[in-house]
Amino acid sequence: ARHGTSLIPQVRPSQLYGLEINPYAAELAQVVIWIGYLQWIHHNGFAAPRDPILEPIDTIRNMDAIIDLTDPDNPKEPEWPEADVIVGNPPFLGGNKIRAELGDHYVDSVFALYTRRIPPFSDLCCYWFEKSRAQVAHHPKTRVGLLATQSIRGGASREVLKRIADSASIFWAVSDRQWILDGAAVHVSLVAFGSQPPDSICLDGRNVDRINPDLTTAADATLAVQLKANSGISFQGPSAKGPFDIPEGFALELLHATGNPTEKPNSDVIRPVASAIDLTKRSRAVWTIDFGLQSIEAACEYSEPFAYAKSHVFPLRAQNRRAAYAQKWWLYAEPRPGMRRALQALPRYMATPAVSKHRLFVWGLPELLCNQGTLVFATAEDFGFGVLHSRAHDLWARRQGTQLREKESGDRYTPTSCFETFPFPEPTAAQRDAIAAAAYELDILRSTWLNPPEWTREEVLTFPGSVDGPWARYVTEANAK
């Protein structure tokens, strides 16, 4: 004051900008900001403003923060106001739920607008991170602090943090924190970044040298690239998008049914199916109708299985908004032709749950179809079985995968990031044999413990089969057709 500076606070609510899509919430925000400001004035000994007590805050904009659909045919990015600091709690919406919650037009417009920057089906909060990153690029003094679902550390959602790390610096973060809202517990990550890092970088409450895009420090596993040696081996299981699964009793009836116009056996298209539950617990004894990649003309030659699909699957798939799913209603929506070709000549293959608390792998036989809840590996070697069960691969998969909620809930195994980036060892012949022997013993011990011989009983099923069907290895010359 002695130097002529006023003691009246110069910071006012009008210096706070906001973006809010809900008109009522935008108005409410103005009132809340003023209440907070008046409380600060009162507690610090200043006289409250009297005329007027509340002024309008025109800086709270009622608008969508990530897309401008004023002209629905020409979507564009909205302009954010310039700011020294950007803070926020963007909405969390997982990739699989975005379309159901926001509608096709909105989602397709957002995907098209942010193409090559945000992978489709990243969590919705990632678009706020990208917009903030762009703000920092244009205004280097800007700093950002945002909340995100903790899944931003992995999978497609992590790509936005990679872009941030390439052009700015993540200088403060909490990688995994429980957040309780309305009684529901979720896990979030908090991330702060800017063009210039401060003197200290803090991760989970401790000073570190750097923060990687997966919100870890030390070695940056996000720099790992996909290896050619691992390509074409791992696949997500086929996705049905329809009630193709049937109980075992009905499946056995279809297997024994005759009367197909070409005399083809129904076993060509009737096979057991496994989900993640079947791999981690006891089998549910569920079977499925799988026409593979056949045309509708070939599929209808299996009279009863086709009739079942026509009455149960067709009504649902005909209403599917994706034209390809509706048009080829008799097939699995995503039949995974690459997987089928890779498994065709193998006597067995490996499978693992897509989501699991413990990472385990099991052997699957050719007649078993693992569905979209599983990941399939086109290898029959005990050596590969042993390497994927190793502590090294388990740590790698957890680092490269996506944590579901808290660590105890498990992780999502993603082939592109968990398997295709994993460098297999190059052992000597003796080491390779030792790993294979240990893997074989592990499988035998685990299978025997889960299915004690004195508690199990084997039954032989006899039904017509084809030499080129899923049951081909059981077909004898006497009944081969």
Side-chain angles (χ1 to χ4, degrees), residues 190-237:
L190 294 83
V191 183
F193 60 92
S195 60
Q196 296 296 328
D199 295 335
S200 63
I201 298 175
C202 181
L203 173 64
D204 294 330
R206 59 190 179 92
N207 290 336
V208 296
D209 293 329
R210 65 178 180 183
I211 299 177
N212 301 321
D214 59 354
L215 303 187
T216 62
T217 190
D220 188 356
T222 67
L223 298 177
V225 298
Q226 292 169 280
L227 305 173
K228 291 183 179 179
N230 292 9
S231 64
I233 298 176
S234 59
F235 307 88
Q236 184 180 11

Side-chain angles (χ1 to χ4, degrees), residues 242-287:
F244 289 91
D245 291 355
I246 55 178
E248 187 172 59
F250 182 50
L252 296 179
E253 292 179 17
L254 293 178
L255 288 172
H256 289 95
T258 58
N260 292 335
T262 58
E263 298 186 357
K264 290 183 177 181
N266 285 336
S267 60
D268 288 353
V269 297
I270 304 295
R271 56 198 303 192
V273 65
S275 67
I277 294 176
D278 297 293
L279 302 187
T280 57
K281 299 182 179 180
R282 293 201 176 277
S283 172
R284 298 169 300 149
V286 174
W287 293 52

Side-chain angles (χ1 to χ4, degrees), residues 93-99 106-127 154-160 163 322 414:
L93 195 59
N96 293 330
K97 298 179 181 179
I98 289 180
R99 193 173 292 275
Y106 185 94
V107 172
D108 291 339
S109 299
V110 169
F111 285 177
L113 197 60
Y114 291 87
T115 184
R116 299 181 183 177
R117 288 185 289 166
I118 302 293
F121 298 108
S122 299
D123 195 278
L124 188 63
C125 70
C126 293
Y127 294 92
S157 296
R158 187 170 60 199
E159 294 301 314
V160 73
R163 287 177 58 81
R322 297 191 62 172
T414 308

Side-chain angles (χ1 to χ4, degrees), residues 60-143:
I60 306 297
R61 301 181 183 179
N62 178 208
M63 58 179 281
D64 190 306
I66 61 173
I67 190 169
D68 182 354
L69 291 173
T70 305
D71 180 359
D73 296 329
N74 297 287
K76 61 182 181 179
E77 283 191 51
E79 290 188 11
W80 282 15
E82 293 184 18
D84 299 311
V85 176
I86 299 173
V87 294
N89 177 15
F92 307 159
L93 195 59
N96 293 330
K97 298 179 181 179
I98 289 180
R99 193 173 292 275
E101 292 286 336
L102 302 178
D104 290 337
H105 176 69
Y106 185 94
V107 172
D108 291 339
S109 299
V110 169
F111 285 177
L113 197 60
Y114 291 87
T115 184
R116 299 181 183 177
R117 288 185 289 166
I118 302 293
F121 298 108
S122 299
D123 195 278
L124 188 63
C125 70
C126 293
Y127 294 92
W128 274 258
F129 277 79
E130 171 58 22
K131 287 289 292 182
S132 299
R133 184 205 63 80
Q135 291 288 97
V136 171
H138 287 93
H139 309 286
K141 292 184 179 180
T142 301
R143 287 190 174 181

